Amino acid sequence: MTFLFPGKVQDFKESEVEKWNTTAISGVGKRVKEIPANFLLATQNPDIVDFQVEWPAMPKRGMGKWPAGFAEADKRQQQDEYCEWEVERDANGKLTKVTFTCEFPEYWNELTENDQAFQNALREVGYSGSSGDRKGSIERLNKDGKILHLKHENSTLDQAVEIAADATVLRQHLIKPDGSDISGGDLLKCFGEKKYSKEAPKRHSDPTIMYEINKWVRNGYKICPKQPFGIYIDRLETSEFRRGNKRLNERSVCKWSRGADATRMRLVLENPGGTLADIKGPHNRSIQYGSQFAEKLWIRIDLQAVKEQKTEVSDPLWTYIEGRDSEPHPTDKETQERLTDWFAKQIIKKEKEFTPVPLTFHDLLEKIPAESWAPFVVYDGFHMRREDPNTQPEVKPRFVVICVPELKGKIKPPYRPQDLELLEEKAFKAETLAIVSDEKTSSQSGILQCAGFDPAKGCFNWYDRERNFLEREERDPRWHYFGNSHDAFEPDTQGLGPWCGHVNGTIIMKEIEAPWVHWESSVTKRLRELPTNHDLMKETKLIFNKRLVAGGAECLERMVKNGVEAWFETRWKSDFPQPQAPGGTQQGTRSYAIHVNQWISHILLTTTISIAASTTPTRDIHGEDTAFPIPQNFFFNYTALSELIDDLPEIGAVPAKHYISAMEKLRISTVFEFAKAQGDNNKIASKDEGQAPWKVLGPSYEDYRGMVQVHEEKLLPKNVVIAMLMVDFW
């Protein structure tokens, strides 16, 4: 794309436009770090619709507030609608001249680099300045009745492009069930942690720009800035202005400059032979303020809507980042190049070698390196003792596979302790793939998801295979790229898609401490033999000696914690300036902190839960003289506090007789879930809490790890952290 000179001004020679283009592109690039998919800096598509977005120059906060709001609006610091003005008065205080401009400061800064262009621009506006101190001249000529360019901190070329680009992001969470419109103010609330984000919704300009652009995008268009890109003065509505008993003739008071007819950036208002006070404005009020004209002065931005043809392609990987994308779309080249985890490189990108791309759990296990992985199994209630021994639930396990490709040939069933220790040692330090599947291992209708850990970038990329429920669609399901760990904290995607469950951008385990109630582990009984006709018996990659074998939950717990720690280390470095000796920040790191509230949430909130229970199985609780432990986090966040307080006493044991008595009085039982679905809420599985007593929800390892990071990095004093932890964490 080439940014042409705003308004087609002719200060520079035409041959010098490339330098301005470089300046403009560089400025935009500093603000718009990642160009949204629906925003184009340039397009060759002939199917283009030109459109304009317009708004009044009068600051919104002063509208209708006569006279105080109008007087206040004449102050430059209040003028935040990409249009500013200065006024001049005679000795009697009557208004004689008002000068409006929409020129960007970036362009006038460029003029300081070229004296000839600088003098050309000054002559056009009727000013003169020093060639030896061009920047000083601009400063002097941009205040106290004189004006050259916009100077409000939020009225820049960079922000105009950034607002337009951000408006093209589809915010799925804002779409209302009744189909009603999304407001520009709501869109701006998602704009990010910018210093101006709180003020921006109070303007006419930014909410209107975002609303109009987002409406085009929701109708299937992409947006491109129209060249020459700028903010322009569209028109002055004079129908309510009178001079004497006649309607004001625009030509008699308006002098336009700085731009071609359709792209004008400067307007001077004077009343020849009199003062502007001789003119009556709206409500028959004599003109006392420049803002009375600003109320009827319309500003605009010119854009293009591009209707891109949708084509069915055979790309194995599409992108669907919920909150950012309205629907799945082919993954663009730039995104593909950013995906450097093992799954993207070896499964998706090498589709010619792996044809077709695996679309079932069974096929994926065939493609990953042999004996480089171990499965882990979870299913509800399988280890419970039952009132009726003949009543058994249908076996519907769910699988987690942790694969470290470089360990090919070293992790063999039945997964000896030394093999699992090696897997633990390498997982989430080397390239690692985490796979999740349900029991439909050979079906395209089941769950199949992957998280690829890229050690070079220290984060996860998330993938999901479409579910073909009927298995008779006209095409095979695709893999979707769901985003990376950083998207868990972005305003448009936070809490959506995978970040609904993986709220901190990392892999999770909802029972990440003993006794891992629903997992196959060293605490629970080993898996029973499956019926010979069970579908899983066909999965040779999972069966050993006619049994379904898996690693223990204690091993998976340690690997999940490794994954959390690896990502949190990256996350901290991404969110906070990183020191270097002897001082300053590391090259390439940010100069200010972001996402601080999310880090503090690990102390004040429970961002992710873990199901805890007593380590004593229910079957071992009997006799009046016995006692058994309750979960340490039952009353407060013991795990976190014990990190900060030396010799914190453990929570004591509970006498079995009191527990048994309470269970009987409260008539606590565990019922079959499938019985509920059939309308039978009284189908009792066991007259207790199931496998283990005292099942409670508590903070997971992510909150502990976040708290430790905050403490170790001295973001908060230790005593403050301790006090905050005592706030009810649920």
Side-chain angles (χ1 to χ4, degrees), residues 467-509:
R467 299 178 72 179
N468 184 350
F469 290 101
L470 299 179
E471 302 204 70
R472 54 182 175 81
E473 301 288 342
E474 295 180 357
R475 61 166 177 80
D476 285 331
R478 303 184 183 96
W479 280 96
H480 288 163
Y481 169 58
F482 269 9
N484 66 41
S485 298
H486 294 279
D487 292 318
F489 302 99
E490 291 303 316
D492 57 333
T493 53
Q494 186 175 10
L496 301 175
W499 324 127
C500 178
H502 300 264
V503 295
N504 295 306
T506 184
I507 56 173
I508 60 175
M509 186 177 178

Side-chain angles (χ1 to χ4, degrees), residues 685-698:
S686 63
K687 293 182 178 180
D688 49 38
E689 291 188 84
Q691 304 96 313
W694 301 114
K695 291 192 186 74
V696 292
L697 302 180

Side-chain angles (χ1 to χ4, degrees), residues 96-113:
T96 59
K97 184 177 181 179
V98 184
T99 305
F100 293 90
T101 187
C102 289
E103 289 199 67
F104 289 127
E106 293 95 330
Y107 178 77
W108 276 87
N109 188 60
E110 188 77 6
L111 285 170
T112 63
E113 304 296 323

Side-chain angles (χ1 to χ4, degrees), residues 133-146:
D133 185 17
R134 291 187 285 272
K135 289 187 177 180
S137 294
I138 287 178
E139 186 175 343
R140 288 191 297 275
L141 295 172
N142 201 35
K143 62 181 180 179
D144 301 331
K146 293 182 171 57

